[in-house]
Amino acid sequence: MKIYVKVSDTDKPYLSGSSTEALDGYTSIEGLTNDQAIAALSRPNKCYVDDNGVLIVPNQIPLSQAEKDAQSVKLQLEGMSKRITDMQKTIDDLATDKANLQTALNNANADNNNLKQQIQNVQKQSLAYMTQLAQINAELAKYKQSQSSSQGGDK
Protein backbone atom coordinates (compact mmCIF):
# COMPACT_ATOMS: atom_id res chain seq x y z
CA MET A 1 0.00 0.00 0.00
CA LYS A 2 1.17 3.55 -0.72
CA ILE A 3 0.58 6.66 1.41
CA TYR A 4 2.04 10.15 1.58
CA VAL A 5 3.54 11.58 4.77
CA LYS A 6 4.89 14.91 5.91
CA VAL A 7 7.65 15.09 8.52
CA SER A 8 7.01 17.66 11.22
CA ASP A 9 9.05 20.82 11.06
CA THR A 10 8.99 21.18 14.86
CA ASP A 11 9.08 17.55 16.02
CA LYS A 12 11.38 15.67 13.62
CA PRO A 13 11.41 12.73 12.83
CA TYR A 14 7.72 12.42 13.75
CA LEU A 15 5.05 13.07 11.17
CA SER A 16 2.81 16.10 11.12
CA GLY A 17 0.41 14.65 8.57
CA SER A 18 -0.43 11.77 6.25
CA SER A 19 -2.67 11.30 3.24
CA THR A 20 -3.69 8.87 0.57
CA GLU A 21 -3.18 11.63 -2.03
CA ALA A 22 0.03 13.35 -3.13
CA LEU A 23 0.02 16.73 -1.37
CA ASP A 24 2.54 19.54 -1.46
CA GLY A 25 5.43 18.81 0.92
CA TYR A 26 4.45 15.15 1.41
CA THR A 27 6.74 12.20 0.65
CA SER A 28 5.58 8.90 -0.83
CA ILE A 29 6.00 5.77 1.28
CA GLU A 30 5.34 2.40 -0.38
CA GLY A 31 5.11 -1.22 0.65
CA LEU A 32 3.18 -0.69 3.88
CA THR A 33 0.94 -3.28 5.45
CA ASN A 34 -2.68 -2.33 6.01
CA ASP A 35 -2.05 -1.97 9.75
CA GLN A 36 0.91 0.36 9.16
CA ALA A 37 -1.07 2.49 6.71
CA ILE A 38 -4.04 2.71 9.07
CA ALA A 39 -1.80 3.71 11.98
CA ALA A 40 0.00 6.35 9.90
CA LEU A 41 -3.26 7.75 8.55
CA SER A 42 -5.12 7.76 11.87
CA ARG A 43 -2.27 8.79 14.23
CA PRO A 44 0.53 10.32 12.15
CA ASN A 45 2.04 12.20 15.13
CA LYS A 46 2.85 8.79 16.75
CA CYS A 47 4.75 7.57 13.65
CA TYR A 48 8.12 8.70 12.31
CA VAL A 49 10.51 8.25 9.42
CA ASP A 50 13.94 6.88 10.30
CA ASP A 51 17.27 7.96 8.78
CA ASN A 52 16.82 5.46 5.92
CA GLY A 53 13.39 6.85 5.00
CA VAL A 54 11.49 3.89 6.47
CA LEU A 55 8.17 4.61 8.15
CA ILE A 56 8.23 3.40 11.75
CA VAL A 57 4.85 2.65 13.31
CA PRO A 58 4.81 1.81 17.00
CA ASN A 59 3.27 -1.54 17.90
CA GLN A 60 0.91 0.06 20.36
CA ILE A 61 -0.16 3.60 19.77
CA PRO A 62 -1.61 5.11 22.95
CA LEU A 63 -5.34 5.57 22.66
CA SER A 64 -6.86 9.01 22.70
CA GLN A 65 -9.44 9.78 25.38
CA ALA A 66 -12.21 9.41 22.79
CA GLU A 67 -10.84 6.00 21.79
CA LYS A 68 -10.57 4.99 25.45
CA ASP A 69 -14.15 6.13 26.02
CA ALA A 70 -15.31 4.25 22.92
CA GLN A 71 -13.50 1.13 24.09
CA SER A 72 -15.07 1.48 27.54
CA VAL A 73 -18.53 1.87 26.02
CA LYS A 74 -17.87 -1.14 23.80
CA LEU A 75 -16.89 -3.24 26.83
CA GLN A 76 -19.96 -2.05 28.72
CA LEU A 77 -22.17 -2.93 25.75
CA GLU A 78 -20.57 -6.35 25.50
CA GLY A 79 -21.21 -6.85 29.23
CA MET A 80 -24.84 -5.74 28.85
CA SER A 81 -25.23 -7.97 25.83
CA LYS A 82 -23.93 -10.94 27.83
CA ARG A 83 -26.28 -10.10 30.71
CA ILE A 84 -29.20 -9.82 28.27
CA THR A 85 -28.23 -13.16 26.73
CA ASP A 86 -28.02 -14.69 30.22
CA MET A 87 -31.40 -13.19 31.16
CA GLN A 88 -32.94 -14.51 27.94
CA LYS A 89 -31.58 -17.98 28.75
CA THR A 90 -33.05 -17.69 32.25
CA ILE A 91 -36.40 -16.62 30.78
CA ASP A 92 -36.29 -19.53 28.33
CA ASP A 93 -35.43 -21.93 31.16
CA LEU A 94 -38.28 -20.55 33.26
CA ALA A 95 -40.69 -20.89 30.32
CA THR A 96 -39.59 -24.52 29.93
CA ASP A 97 -40.00 -25.10 33.66
CA LYS A 98 -43.47 -23.49 33.52
CA ALA A 99 -44.48 -25.76 30.65
CA ASN A 100 -43.17 -28.82 32.52
CA LEU A 101 -44.96 -27.78 35.71
CA GLN A 102 -48.19 -27.16 33.77
CA THR A 103 -47.93 -30.64 32.25
CA ALA A 104 -47.30 -32.13 35.70
CA LEU A 105 -50.26 -30.19 37.10
CA ASN A 106 -52.51 -31.36 34.26
CA ASN A 107 -51.40 -34.96 34.85
CA ALA A 108 -51.98 -34.60 38.61
CA ASN A 109 -55.47 -33.15 37.98
CA ALA A 110 -56.26 -36.03 35.62
CA ASP A 111 -55.02 -38.52 38.26
CA ASN A 112 -57.10 -36.71 40.88
CA ASN A 113 -60.23 -36.91 38.70
CA ASN A 114 -59.58 -40.61 38.09
CA LEU A 115 -59.21 -41.20 41.83
CA LYS A 116 -62.42 -39.28 42.52
CA GLN A 117 -64.22 -41.45 39.99
CA GLN A 118 -62.77 -44.58 41.57
CA ILE A 119 -63.91 -43.38 45.02
CA GLN A 120 -67.40 -42.71 43.68
CA ASN A 121 -67.49 -46.18 42.13
CA VAL A 122 -66.32 -47.75 45.42
CA GLN A 123 -68.95 -45.73 47.33
CA LYS A 124 -71.69 -46.92 44.90
CA GLN A 125 -70.49 -50.49 45.25
CA SER A 126 -70.35 -50.11 49.03
CA LEU A 127 -73.93 -48.76 49.03
CA ALA A 128 -75.02 -51.69 46.89
CA TYR A 129 -73.32 -54.13 49.31
CA MET A 130 -74.90 -52.39 52.30
CA THR A 131 -78.32 -52.61 50.63
CA GLN A 132 -77.78 -56.32 49.92
CA LEU A 133 -76.58 -56.83 53.49
CA ALA A 134 -79.67 -55.07 54.84
CA GLN A 135 -81.88 -57.29 52.66
CA ILE A 136 -80.04 -60.39 53.84
CA ASN A 137 -80.41 -59.28 57.48
CA ALA A 138 -84.11 -58.62 56.93
CA GLU A 139 -84.58 -62.05 55.36
CA LEU A 140 -82.55 -63.63 58.15
CA ALA A 141 -84.72 -61.91 60.75
CA LYS A 142 -87.86 -63.17 58.96
CA TYR A 143 -86.39 -66.65 58.79
CA LYS A 144 -85.50 -66.62 62.47
CA GLN A 145 -88.93 -65.31 63.32
CA SER A 146 -90.59 -67.95 61.23
CA GLN A 147 -88.37 -70.63 62.78
CA SER A 148 -89.15 -69.47 66.24
CA SER A 149 -92.88 -69.30 65.47
CA SER A 150 -92.92 -72.73 64.00
CA GLN A 151 -91.05 -74.21 66.97
CA GLY A 152 -93.17 -72.37 69.47
CA GLY A 153 -96.41 -73.58 67.86
CA ASP A 154 -95.46 -77.27 68.20
CA LYS A 155 -95.03 -77.21 71.92
Side-chain angles (χ1 to χ4, degrees):
M1 179 171 225
K2 180 180 186 179
I3 64 166
Y4 301 88
V5 298
K6 181 175 183 181
V7 177
S8 172
D9 294 330
T10 59
D11 194 18
K12 287 183 182 178
Y14 288 93
L15 305 181
S16 63
S18 59
S19 174
T20 56
E21 300 174 11
L23 300 174
D24 191 32
Y26 283 63
T27 306
S28 170
I29 306 278
E30 294 187 39
L32 300 175
T33 65
N34 286 339
D35 289 342
Q36 289 173 317
I38 290 169
L41 290 169
S42 64
R43 310 279 269 156
N45 61 332
K46 301 295 180 186
C47 305
Y48 64 93
V49 177
D50 71 6
D51 294 336
N52 297 322
V54 175
L55 179 67
I56 305 298
V57 178
N59 288 338
Q60 290 187 344
I61 296 175
L63 297 177
S64 69
Q65 188 59 44
E67 290 169 323
K68 288 178 185 176
D69 292 346
Q71 194 173 48
S72 174
V73 168
K74 180 182 175 190
L75 290 173
Q76 288 174 356
L77 289 174
E78 287 172 356
M80 282 191 240
S81 177
K82 181 174 178 354
R83 285 192 298 270
I84 289 170
T85 300
D86 291 346
M87 282 186 201
Q88 186 60 52
K89 183 181 180 328
T90 300
I91 289 169
D92 292 344
D93 290 347
L94 289 172
T96 300
D97 290 349
K98 178 186 174 194
N100 291 341
L101 289 170
Q102 186 63 51
T103 299
L105 179 61
N106 291 343
N107 290 342
N109 284 337
D111 290 347
N112 187 39
N113 289 336
N114 288 338
L115 289 172
K116 283 180 183 178
Q117 186 62 46
Q118 288 176 8
I119 289 170
Q120 287 174 351
N121 291 341
V122 167
Q123 286 174 335
K124 286 178 186 175
Q125 193 174 28
S126 176
L127 184 59
Y129 289 152
M130 288 172 64
T131 303
Q132 285 178 347
L133 187 58
Q135 289 173 349
I136 291 171
N137 281 336
E139 288 179 23
L140 182 60
K142 283 182 191 177
Y143 175 75
K144 284 183 179 179
Q145 190 177 20
S146 71
Q147 285 295 340
S148 104
S149 312
S150 67
Q151 285 178 357
D154 288 342
K155 289 185 184 182

